[in-house]
């Protein structure tokens, strides 16, 4: 690629997945996707759809990985309708040829354990990417616990904090990968780690019609904040006679990164480290 092409401006809209392999071993994160690529692992994500890593490159200092996923249909030779003969037949299918292929761009930052998928109109669904990461990692490390959680938008926390009549809160949390967190989220995180609790479910119900006051319950607020990257939360809010449910899964976090073609992997790495780590990772 010519230098003028590398200097061309580009905007990346990414969705972010928090990847955890337990028990914790930092070295695993630096080569796990290389192993998936080298083994040519193809994951059946749904129905007749499969996904695998199409290409992969690693920065010289191993601080970031850039790659492509490919998503395609795998044909089965059974039960094909022959319109001319009006018969249902078995046909010979070339296993090397797979239709409906889509390619998606991704980045992985090992020190932050974050997998970043670039959104494209009509491209691969992030939900299928999550299935691929989870199943591929379990295939590489069958004896370890694998947790893949999509990052939640800050909009979710803000909506809940502004809600006037919270009737019920359910939070499921796991401990972090040493992320940057608020003081009360850190309190939960430290307790989970020190007590060797892998997962905790918390449920709170309002004692009267006024609802739960999160400004007076810093522990529940901290658990909600922790769930944005490390778990799941569902909140029921009363609005007049109606009840509305808010779920973290409905508020995925997106980040817009403006950079040049030649600096994409650096820009994504620096953005992720600025969000989830206290230093630039050096």
């Amino acid at each position: 690629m010519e230098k003028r092409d590398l200097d061309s401006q580009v905007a990346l809209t990414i969705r972010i997945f928090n990847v955890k392999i337990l028990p914790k071993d930092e070295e695993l994160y630096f080569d796990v996707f290389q192993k998936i690529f080298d083994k040519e692992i193809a994951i059946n994500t749904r129905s007749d759809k499969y996904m695998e890593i199409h290409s992969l490159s690693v920065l010289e200092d191993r601080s970031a990985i850039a790659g492509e996923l490919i998503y395609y249909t795998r044909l089965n030779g059974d039960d094909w309708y022959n319109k001319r003969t009006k018969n249902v037949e078995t046909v010979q299918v070339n296993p090397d040829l797979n239709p409906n292929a889509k390619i998606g761009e991704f980045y992985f930052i090992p020190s932050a354990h974050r997998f970043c998928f670039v959104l494209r109109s009509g491209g691969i669904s992030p939900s299928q990417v999550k299935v691929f990461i989870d199943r591929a990692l379990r295939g590489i490390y069958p004896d370890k616990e694998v947790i893949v959680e999509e990052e939640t938008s800050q909009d979710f926390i803000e909506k809940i904090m502004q809600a006037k009549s919270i009737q019920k809160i359910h939070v499921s949390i796991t401990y972090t990968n040493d992320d940057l967190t608020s003081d009360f989220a850190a309190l939960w995180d430290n307790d989970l780690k020190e007590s060797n609790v892998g997962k905790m479910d918390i449920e709170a119900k309002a004692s009267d019609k006024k609802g739960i006051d999160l400004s007076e319950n810093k522990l529940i607020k901290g658990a909600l904040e922790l769930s944005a990257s490390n778990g799941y939360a569902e909140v029921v809010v009363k609005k007049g006679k109606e009840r509305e449910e808010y779920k973290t899964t409905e508020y995925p976090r997106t980040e817009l990164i403006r950079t040049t073609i030649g600096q994409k992997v650096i820009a994504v790495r620096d953005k992720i480290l600025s969000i989830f780590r206290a230093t630039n990772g050096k």
Side-chain angles (χ1 to χ4, degrees), residues 64-80:
I65 295 166
E68 292 177 320
L69 298 173
I70 189 159
Y71 185 57
Y72 55 84
T73 302
R74 184 174 289 181
L75 298 178
N76 185 315
D78 297 333
D79 302 326
W80 286 59

Side-chain angles (χ1 to χ4, degrees), residues 171-182:
V171 185
S172 179
I173 53 176
T174 60
Y175 60 76
T176 76
N177 282 317
D178 299 325
D179 300 333
L180 286 174
T181 56
S182 71

